[in-house]
Amino acid sequence: MANKTVIIAIVNKAYVEGDKPMLDLFLDGFWLGEDTRGLISHLLLVAVDQTSFERCRFLHLHCYKLEADDHANFEAEKLYMSQEFIKMMWRRTLFLKDLLKRGYSFVFTDIDVMWLRDPFPRLNSFNESMDLQISADKFNGDQWSESNPINTGFYMVRSNNRTISLFERWYDRKNNSTGVKEQDVLDSMMHEGVFRELGLSVKFLDTLYFSGFCEVSKDFKAVTTIHANCCRTISAKVADLTAVIHDWKKFEILSNSNQTSSLKWTNHVNCEGSWKDFNVTLG
């Protein structure tokens, strides 16, 4: 964009293959959403393997091939909290740190986030004093409260010395955080007072607008994005996000006749079921 802001999403082979790949669903959101189609021109897809890079190029999107470090293989599905999942999250953080250092502000979005409305009017995108705006699994009602449980699957960060310092400190903790995902490390830093120490202006996004499966927005007229968080597998995410798309289409049809008051989101039964084996393993 004119102010050097870019939308970033990261894909691998597991996200671009199958009968209905996750990437296709992600792009469906931009096609079906309100005032979202033009945002595709500001989207950079970062591919972590050759298959996803070739798929991105085939779709005529803006594509970047990210080389894995430590000879890691990021092609297959990375199950939540697996060693490979954690490695991929840290590689993502390193890339985003480098992007900030090049002077680019960005909205980072997981590929399992449906963009149903243009989020920029709600992101204070032209407020130069806002350093970081980050989604929450559950919103406690206070957009400035550090007790909100953060989710790094959707956030906007402005490139400046404060945010670059944050990302440098964040990534520096990688080697001392074995078995801990990068989101939990950032959350720990927040509670240790690092945000305040760096003088960061941080806003936590209301789930009424920036919704997810952990806490679903009940207002179809307000919801901007829907994240398939609190979900473990790609197949479960695809099934339940497909239901989100169907619900959204139904809302658009009914909104023409003002009959949306009784409309509810379909229950996320596949994502709820995706935790069964994981919980058994933990137990």
Side-chain angles (χ1 to χ4, degrees):
M1 301 179 185
N3 61 354
K4 288 191 73 173
T5 299
V6 64
I7 302 167
I8 300 287
I10 293 183
V11 292
N12 67 355
K13 182 179 179 181
Y15 284 134
V16 303
E17 293 191 329
D19 293 336
K20 182 65 174 180
M22 181 71 77
L23 175 60
D24 288 14
L25 267 179
F26 177 68
L27 297 175
D28 283 350
F30 286 91
W31 175 254
L32 296 169
E34 294 180 5
D35 301 319
T36 50
R37 292 185 185 181
L39 297 177
I40 287 288
S41 64
H42 306 301
L43 171 67
L44 176 66
L45 274 187
V46 179
V48 297
D49 56 65
Q50 189 60 30
T51 301
S52 57
F53 181 66
E54 290 174 2
R55 177 64 176 167
C56 178
R57 294 289 297 274
F58 175 77
L59 293 170
H60 301 289
L61 301 168
H62 300 303
C63 315
Y64 178 80
K65 175 74 179 299
L66 181 65
E67 299 297 335
D69 52 2
D70 302 328
H71 304 289
N73 181 353
F74 292 146
E75 285 192 354
E77 177 178 0
K78 307 306 174 194
L79 287 177
Y80 180 76
M81 289 308 294
S82 66
Q83 184 177 354
E84 292 79 11
F85 171 87
I86 292 171
K87 275 187 178 180
M88 190 162 72
M89 295 302 100
W90 280 116
R91 183 64 185 94
R92 177 178 91 180
T93 304
L94 176 61
F95 170 76
L96 296 174
K97 173 175 74 79
D98 292 342
L99 197 67
L100 286 176
K101 294 177 77 171
R102 293 174 183 268
Y104 289 95
S105 302
F106 60 82
V107 173
F108 177 81
T109 175
D110 275 346
I111 212 77
D112 60 349
V113 177
M114 295 291 101
W115 288 46
L116 300 179
R117 289 186 172 91
D118 180 359
F120 287 98
R122 296 202 177 275
L123 285 174
N124 299 318
S125 54
F126 297 104
N127 184 346
E128 296 288 340
S129 67
M130 193 68 67
D131 297 313
L132 174 64
Q133 300 172 80
I134 189 165
S135 61
D137 284 337
K138 294 181 182 295
F139 184 64
N140 69 6
D142 182 354
Q143 64 183 358
W144 310 111
S145 170
E146 291 185 351
S147 65
N148 284 295
I150 62 172
N151 188 301
T152 54
F154 184 92
Y155 61 94
M156 180 174 184
V157 59
R158 189 174 301 283
S159 175
N160 56 42
N161 291 336
R162 295 182 298 277
T163 56
I164 291 170
S165 294
L166 173 66
F167 272 68
E168 286 178 337
R169 288 202 193 184
W170 187 9
Y171 189 74
D172 284 347
R173 296 201 180 193
K174 169 179 174 286
N175 293 332
N176 294 322
S177 304
T178 304
V180 181
K181 66 181 185 293
E182 93 312 339
Q183 176 177 293
D184 293 340
V185 172
L186 184 64
D187 187 69
S188 295
M189 292 171 65
M190 176 179 68
H191 290 297
E192 291 167 14
V194 173
F195 287 7
R196 294 188 297 275
E197 180 186 336
L198 293 173
L200 289 165
S201 175
V202 181
K203 177 182 176 182
F204 302 89
L205 300 174
D206 190 339
T207 52
L208 176 67
Y209 309 107
F210 299 92
S211 178
F213 290 176
C214 297
E215 186 170 73
V216 181
S217 173
K218 295 180 174 60
D219 192 345
F220 275 80
K221 295 180 179 179
V223 68
T224 301
T225 61
I226 297 182
H227 185 189
N229 51 10
C230 290
C231 192
R232 189 163 184 253
T233 65
I234 291 178
S235 60
K237 290 172 184 278
V238 167
D240 286 347
L241 286 174
T242 299
V244 167
I245 292 293
H246 291 161
D247 291 342
W248 179 254
K249 288 180 177 179
K250 190 184 302 182
F251 163 75
E252 290 195 310
I253 293 171
L254 293 176
S255 62
N256 294 327
S257 54
N258 295 318
Q259 297 178 357
T260 61
S261 58
S262 61
L263 197 59
K264 295 181 180 179
W265 298 105
T266 302
N267 290 333
H268 314 303
V269 293
N270 295 280
C271 283
E272 290 171 2
S274 71
W275 293 97
K276 290 180 180 178
D277 293 338
F278 183 67
N279 291 333
V280 168
T281 302
L282 288 178

